[in-house]
Amino acid sequence: MEKLLIKGGAPLKGEVVVSGSKNASLPLLAAALLAGGASVLRGVPALRDVKTFGSLIGNMGAGFTFEDARAEINTAGIGNFAAPYELVKTMRASVLVLGPLVARYGRARVSLPGGCAIGARPINLHLVGLEKMGARIQLEEGYVIAEAGRLNGASLYFDIPTVTGTENLMMAAALAKGTTVLENAAREPEVVDLANALISMGARIEGAGGSLIEIEGVDELKPYSYDVIPDRIEAATFAVAAAITQGDLLIRNVRPDHMDAVSIKLRETGAEVARTPEGFLRVRGTGRPKAVNITTMPYPGFPTDVQAQFMALMSIARGTSIINETVFENRFMHVPELKRMGADINLKGGLATINGMEGLKGAEVMATDLRASASLVLAALAAEGQTVIHRLYHLDRGYERMEDKLRAVGADVVRIS
Ligand code: EPU
């Protein structure tokens, strides 16, 4: 199995280009199922999750090609409405095909995603929403079996603002009869990107980006030709890389307005974070970071997807910081690994108390999920000596050529098998 070898200590300097957003690309690929013909998505990152999604819709009979960040999805041949366990277990976002399949084809058989390293992650809110729109849903042998005639618009309220739940139901509502109102909807930029693509397909959607989204269903949607937004989590990971190595990075292909919470918190640690006249982000470390508390929250709050990376930074901060994880109950799998590198972290429920150390030391560590892997890479970049990161496949699910990008700005990193 492949491993990453990182020798820490070098300040990262130079320019890094962020890829297209993983968490925007996946719902956009699913949205192609809502239309007949070929949709084209540009700026798609070459990631394991994107390839898995290609296999998923290929398995349904759709055409899928992916080259040079351009994905083309042709729905003409679709004849199988299933998302099998083998694919869903490697990528929970497979559940995003549920809304489009039920809305356009009136049926779907989608494996229930189980719990995962970061929490139980149920999809009850997706299912209740589809039922309220008229779908008949049964759970059989670990599969969601959904059937429907044309869906009806409905007034839906999310107990928790769920990102993929909002996306699934927004896609379903786009083809339903009548008006759907989604209250307490997720406000993430990826939801807005999906809404914009759906609007370009002929959907009538208002309010995406706010917590109340109104969708007036239409009879038919046409394929899209669309550019995905940059990955704000990858950008944030590079921003922390600059701060943790006392480096100076110009981060290109970024939407600074999607990164306000992370930028503000990084500035509180003492890092310089500036938007350049071209609209890029420049991040510069200015000495040992100051301890800062964070609480993860749905957007526009501090993203749970940057919590692990920020914890690496706090591990070497001056003082004690508290990280409160409120989105996922178990998203602290990186803690024991960071401790192997010398971090001083105490966990109690959703709270991590981090006593900043003067430095970390290289060690053998294991990636346990996607963002935990990124946190270990960041810790390794700052640590004294060599770190070996095992189970790299987690990192490859969500970061495109991460080690190449890091090497280009001065990191000593190699992948070995
Ligand atoms: N929840 C429920 N019931 C539901 C749906 C969600 O209780 O039916 C709970 C979850 O268990 C969680 C909270 O609601 O406690 C929020 O979960 P959400 O549904 O928003 O998460 P998600 O849609 O499954 C997406 C991203 C995650 C990201 C979260 C939160 C995609 C493909 N995934 O997941 O990304 O952490 O939103 O922002 O968009 C990652 O990229 O590393 C990643 C895990």
Side-chain angles (χ1 to χ4, degrees):
M1 266 207 262
E2 291 184 329
K3 308 178 193 80
L4 219 50
L5 255 53
I6 301 179
K7 287 202 187 93
L12 301 190
K13 290 199 171 140
E15 291 188 13
V16 59
V17 183
V18 173
S19 301
S21 161
K22 166 180 87 77
N23 287 348
S25 294
L26 301 176
L28 286 165
L29 294 174
L33 300 175
L34 289 164
S39 287
V40 173
L41 187 60
R42 289 173 300 270
V44 183
L47 299 173
R48 185 175 296 229
D49 272 6
V50 167
K51 287 174 196 145
T52 307
F53 217 95
S55 310
L56 181 70
I57 51 185
N59 188 55
M60 292 173 190
F64 180 76
T65 58
F66 180 42
E67 218 181 322
D68 294 335
R70 179 186 184 275
E72 184 168 329
I73 309 101
N74 192 329
T75 60
I78 289 194
N80 167 24
F81 308 101
Y85 175 71
E86 293 72 47
L87 294 172
V88 178
K89 77 167 191 229
T90 59
M91 187 186 62
R92 304 179 51 85
S94 309
V95 77
L96 283 164
V97 298
L98 187 59
L101 286 180
V102 177
R104 177 140 185 265
Y105 301 95
R107 57 199 158 126
R109 185 171 186 275
V110 174
S111 174
L112 265 178
C116 72
I118 65 176
R121 301 183 77 183
I123 56 161
N124 56 312
L125 302 172
H126 305 223
L127 302 183
V128 168
L130 284 173
E131 271 181 334
K132 288 210 170 129
M133 295 173 80
R136 292 170 298 282
I137 306 241
Q138 285 181 312
L139 301 183
E140 270 174 30
E141 296 168 353
Y143 276 80
V144 178
I145 318 273
E147 279 177 358
R150 185 167 182 197
L151 293 173
N152 290 310
S155 275
L156 306 175
Y157 168 79
F158 292 107
D159 292 327
I160 304 171
T162 154
V163 177
T164 49
T166 302
E167 292 165 347
N168 236 338
L169 294 173
M170 190 163 70
M171 290 189 278
L175 281 181
K177 187 168 174 353
T179 303
T180 298
V181 177
L182 304 178
E183 279 199 67
N184 200 24
R187 301 170 60 189
E188 270 67 4
E190 294 77 15
V191 172
V192 177
D193 208 33
L194 174 64
N196 289 337
L198 291 170
I199 291 166
S200 80
M201 298 168 81
R204 298 203 188 132
I205 302 175
E206 272 179 24
S211 47
L212 194 143
I213 306 179
E214 198 168 310
I215 305 125
E216 203 188 313
V218 296
D219 293 341
E220 211 176 50
L221 293 170
K222 54 182 192 297
Y224 62 70
S225 173
Y226 195 76
D227 292 278
V228 72
I229 52 170
D231 197 308
R232 65 192 167 97
I233 307 301
E234 188 193 3
T237 304
F238 286 124
V240 177
I244 204 170
T245 64
Q246 299 308 315
D248 184 354
L249 288 180
L250 184 70
I251 303 172
R252 303 174 69 126
N253 190 35
V254 66
R255 285 277 305 262
D257 55 321
H258 291 167
M259 300 187 47
D260 286 344
V262 172
S263 299
I264 289 167
K265 283 295 171 181
L266 272 177
R267 278 189 204 114
E268 272 184 42
T269 72
E272 278 175 14
V273 182
R275 191 179 173 149
T276 69
E278 304 87 352
F280 306 145
L281 209 59
R282 183 170 171 194
V283 184
R284 205 168 71 82
T286 58
R288 191 170 166 202
K290 287 199 275 290
V292 164
N293 298 336
I294 60 164
T295 298
T296 65
M297 285 198 184
Y299 191 84
F302 191 95
T304 173
D305 288 345
V306 188
Q307 179 259 107
Q309 298 90 316
F310 208 83
M311 191 182 290
L313 182 64
M314 289 302 94
S315 298
I316 56 160
R318 198 181 291 282
T320 299
S321 51
I322 295 177
I323 294 186
N324 185 2
E325 171 59 63
T326 74
V327 179
F328 290 111
E329 65 276 17
N330 190 28
R331 203 171 202 179
F332 283 131
M333 301 288 277
H334 41 287
V335 168
E337 303 304 307
L338 289 172
K339 283 169 100 167
R340 294 172 65 79
M341 300 179 71
D344 179 357
I345 305 170
N346 292 303
L347 272 186
K348 203 166 182 198
L351 288 184
T353 305
I354 303 118
N355 298 313
M357 308 298 287
E358 258 189 57
L360 297 175
K361 289 219 161 62
E364 297 232 2
V365 290
M366 196 164 71
T368 49
D369 68 72
L370 169 55
R371 307 304 170 188
S373 325
S375 147
L376 298 177
V377 170
L378 294 171
L381 290 171
E384 188 190 323
Q386 177 170 284
T387 298
V388 183
I389 304 179
H390 296 262
R391 300 214 178 149
L392 268 197
Y393 51 87
H394 289 294
L395 190 72
D396 295 338
R397 279 192 41 228
Y399 288 91
E400 188 177 39
R401 298 184 300 103
M402 192 188 215
E403 72 269 24
D404 296 343
K405 291 187 184 185
L406 289 173
R407 206 179 299 114
V409 289
D412 184 344
V413 44
V414 284
R415 183 182 287 246
I416 57 162
S417 42

